[in-house]
Amino acid sequence: TQLLEQSPQFLSIQEGENLTVYCNSSSVFSSLQWYRQEPGEGPVLLVTVVTGGEVKKLKRLTFQFGDARKDSSLHITAAQPGDTGLYLCAGAPSSNTGKLIFGQGTTLQVKP
Amino acid sequence: EPEVTQTPSHQVTQMGQEVILRCVPISNHLYFYWYRQILGQKVEFLVSFYNNEISEKSEIFDDQFSVERPDGSNFTLKIRSTKLEDSAMYFCASSGRDRGHTIYFGEGSWLTVV
């Protein structure tokens, strides 16, 4: 069974600080997606990374897919209170299926 | 921006009753999915559907569950005889031709079985 482990599970920081969330597995994924989920709502797609070593930037968010396609990271620069929320990584074991394996999520709190 | 829409947003049902959750995927998408999230737990894959048939299903998706695309726009999940442990948020999702790469989720249907 493929697993994705996210760390840390909880993170509380001050506005303006930088942070990194990690998503690790012993298995290879054909792609990896990062989502943000608000309470009672569906996951909202932030980014998809497909190629090993790929780096994508979305304003203050930087996403990286590991060279071996087994891990990924999300780095937020100068966090703001609006970044508060649950961040999920989800990996696709195969390019032939839409099955995603989700991590348990990282709850981020950014205090003003 | 196109989005996946789901109804109802919340349903309370008695144990043993049948429930149908409905979804309208993004219009030009070809692959459709149901996921669920029990309160406080991970999002879990239930089933994927392509070309009018199930392409993959998880162990959770037993004989009590079925999916259907009755027309060109709707995609439904039926639970025949609900159990207490079926209480969860059910998410419909869809993807285009590059499935497995970019999957878009609906807002979810919160099912409470009492």
Side-chain angles (χ1 to χ4, degrees):
Chain A
T1 303
Q2 290 177 288
L3 292 173
L4 269 174
E5 296 291 335
Q6 271 186 254
S7 62
Q9 280 191 273
F10 302 97
L11 191 54
S12 181
I13 61 172
Q14 292 294 135
E15 182 177 0
E17 292 183 0
N18 301 332
L19 68 115
T20 302
V21 176
Y22 299 94
C23 186
N24 294 300
S25 176
S26 58
S27 306
V28 175
F29 291 97
S30 68
S31 66
L32 196 137
Q33 303 176 33
W34 285 91
Y35 293 87
R36 180 171 164 176
Q37 186 180 26
E38 299 300 329
E41 298 182 11
V44 176
L45 181 73
L46 295 174
V47 79
T48 301
V49 285
V50 178
T51 306
E54 182 176 4
V55 177
K56 281 192 174 179
K57 292 194 174 184
L58 188 66
K59 297 183 181 178
R60 293 177 294 100
L61 278 59
T62 301
F63 304 86
Q64 185 164 10
F65 201 12
D67 291 340
R69 305 207 315 277
K70 292 182 179 181
D71 55 86
S72 182
S73 64
L74 158 60
H75 182 79
I76 302 179
T77 304
Q80 298 176 0
D83 296 327
T84 293
L86 177 66
Y87 291 83
L88 301 171
C89 65
S94 165
S95 61
N96 295 322
T97 174
K99 177 180 178 179
L100 291 177
I101 307 295
F102 275 82
Q104 72 270 47
T106 295
T107 300
L108 171 64
Q109 180 188 44
V110 182
K111 293 180 279 191
Chain B
E1 185 173 322
E3 59 181 15
V4 177
T5 57
Q6 292 185 238
T7 54
S9 56
H10 189 192
Q11 184 162 351
V12 180
T13 189
Q14 289 208 323
M15 193 168 51
Q17 294 296 304
E18 176 182 284
V19 162
I20 298 176
L21 305 178
R22 292 181 167 79
C23 168
V24 179
I26 295 174
S27 62
N28 61 346
H29 281 184
L30 302 174
Y31 304 93
F32 314 112
Y33 317 96
W34 284 99
Y35 286 76
R36 80 170 185 189
Q37 186 175 30
I38 294 171
L39 189 63
Q41 297 187 21
K42 292 183 185 183
V43 177
E44 302 173 288
F45 169 79
L46 292 179
V47 66
S48 60
F49 191 86
Y50 170 70
N51 200 25
N52 284 320
E53 61 182 22
I54 291 173
S55 50
E56 186 173 359
K57 61 183 180 179
S58 71
E59 292 177 352
I60 303 167
F61 195 87
D62 60 22
D63 292 343
Q64 293 298 313
F65 292 88
S66 63
V67 290
E68 193 177 34
R69 188 159 162 81
D71 53 43
S73 59
N74 291 287
F75 180 51
T76 62
L77 173 69
K78 181 191 290 186
I79 309 175
R80 287 189 184 82
S81 178
T82 50
K83 297 174 276 194
L84 295 176
E85 53 265 37
D86 294 327
S87 295
M89 180 76 96
Y90 288 81
F91 295 111
C92 177
S94 67
S95 63
R97 198 165 291 278
D98 62 334
R99 69 171 171 165
H101 288 178
T102 306
I103 297 179
Y104 296 89
F105 285 80
E107 290 283 303
S109 293
W110 182 247
L111 176 65
T112 302
V113 182
V114 297

